[in-house]
Amino acid sequence: MTIIALTIAVVAAAVSYRLYAGTMDTRYKNSALDIARTAALSDSDAVARYADAVLAIYRQDPAPEWTDAAAEQAYYAQYAAIPDDYYHQLYTLLQSVKTNNRDVLYLYLFVLDPESRTGIYLLDVDNSDSACPMGTWDVIYPQNYGVFDDPAQGFPAYITHSDFGWLCSAGAPITTDDGTVVGYAMVDISMDAVMADRAAFLRNLILAVLAATVVLVAVFIAIIRRTVVRPINQLADATANFVRHRQAGEEGLARLAIHTGDEIQNLAQSVQQMEQDLNRYLTNLARVTAEKERIGAELSVATQIQADMLPSIFPAFPNHPGFDIYATMTPAKEMGGDFYDFFLVDEDHLCLVMADVSGKGVPAALFMVIAKTLLKNSAQTGMNPARILETVNNQLCEGN
């Protein structure tokens, strides 16, 4: 019950927080997009002029990497001649846009290079040392690749978290009179304050919901303890002592008197029935196990007898140094139908037998004993191999 209550509390807090967060996110996204559209009203012809000049230099060495400060300074020096008198007027205009919107952290113009999937800064409205000079390039993230297919869509507002903190970013296209996109006005609004407020809101919401949950849980626990926990504990004690009751010849569960009129009573009755069934099963199992052990012992003896029937003393013929022989057999089961035999028919003839009875187990082993005996008896009469096999075959077929 506690888990259910906590789950409800967590869900309620999550839904409330999501509504609050969604409202704030929508507000900041709309604000970022509106400011970006305002900045995008800049003189498009001038921006197009700056963009063409920057791209002409940049595309000679897209996305460059510098090995030292001198190389970096040389790179940015290429763009020093591009800004004109209007460039500074444009900077002042955009600076006023940023000043009138205090939440704006960064405001800048840049142009896209589709081939390198990068954006190159044209103008960064930032008075600090961290301002990005003209020619600074940055990668365009895959989530914004749609702007390459449809430049007019700009950069829809999105929220990110990085080393710069929480930012809500958006970009609006700067278009000429004929609709050509020549650049983008980008805005980054700091959301650090709203994220702190959001965390405080979530914390207070959780505390309030948890306080209400604790009260409800305490009431439910008192009720459940009396109507559910106590009968279940009785049932658990009885089942825990099942082995002791069985050894004493008692049925401990049968003595339980649980009359709650609900699922607990049904459970108690089912467990009592299970005790009776389990006692019968264990009695049966003991009998079956004893019988299985007896059969296993007999099979073990039979396996040893079968093994002993095969020649196992080596060297087999110490008085005949002219030849040596060795054999062994490992049945797949306790007993098998494969067998071998070798013996001297007389001083000049050695008989070798290798046979495989169809099947495995006891039936094959019994047939093997008969076949081995008949073969040896027939061979020792002095008959040739063909006559031996014919005679034994006929004898075996009489009863099979």
Side-chain angles (χ1 to χ4, degrees), residues 188-219:
D188 294 328
I189 296 179
S190 174
M191 293 188 68
D192 289 339
V194 72
M195 286 300 179
D197 291 341
R198 186 182 297 183
F201 171 81
L202 179 60
R203 182 172 59 252
N204 295 334
L205 178 63
I206 291 176
L207 291 176
V209 173
L210 286 179
T213 302
V214 169
V215 174
L216 292 176
V217 168
V219 174

Side-chain angles (χ1 to χ4, degrees), residues 342-395:
F342 52 85
F343 49 85
L344 289 171
V345 176
D346 54 40
E347 288 299 317
D348 299 320
H349 294 85
L350 172 66
C351 181
L352 301 177
V353 180
M354 287 180 289
D356 181 5
V357 178
S358 297
K360 291 179 174 58
V362 175
L366 293 175
F367 203 86
M368 161 260 179
V369 172
I370 297 173
K372 177 179 180 301
T373 303
L374 292 177
L375 284 170
K376 187 170 185 178
N377 290 341
S378 297
Q380 289 180 335
T381 61
M383 293 186 291
N384 60 45
R387 180 61 180 161
I388 293 172
L389 294 176
E390 179 184 3
T391 301
V392 173
N393 183 64
N394 292 335
Q395 291 174 333

Side-chain angles (χ1 to χ4, degrees), residues 261-344:
D262 55 14
E263 291 82 359
I264 303 299
Q265 181 176 340
N266 294 336
L267 175 63
Q269 293 173 350
S270 298
V271 173
Q272 289 171 340
Q273 181 62 45
M274 182 190 69
E275 180 186 41
Q276 298 174 7
D277 296 341
L278 190 57
N279 284 331
R280 287 194 295 269
Y281 171 77
L282 291 175
T283 301
N284 227 16
L285 182 63
R287 180 181 57 79
V288 172
T289 301
E291 180 66 16
K292 185 176 181 180
E293 290 176 352
R294 183 188 64 79
I295 294 174
E298 292 180 357
L299 277 177
S300 179
V301 174
T303 300
Q304 187 60 43
I305 292 175
Q306 183 186 27
D308 291 343
M309 292 184 67
L310 303 179
S312 59
I313 299 175
F314 302 99
F317 305 105
N319 297 327
H320 293 75
F323 64 92
D324 196 7
I325 189 170
Y326 179 82
T328 184
M329 185 192 75
T330 303
K333 293 186 176 181
E334 290 84 355
M335 304 182 69
D338 299 336
F339 71 93
Y340 66 87
D341 198 3
F342 52 85
F343 49 85
L344 289 171

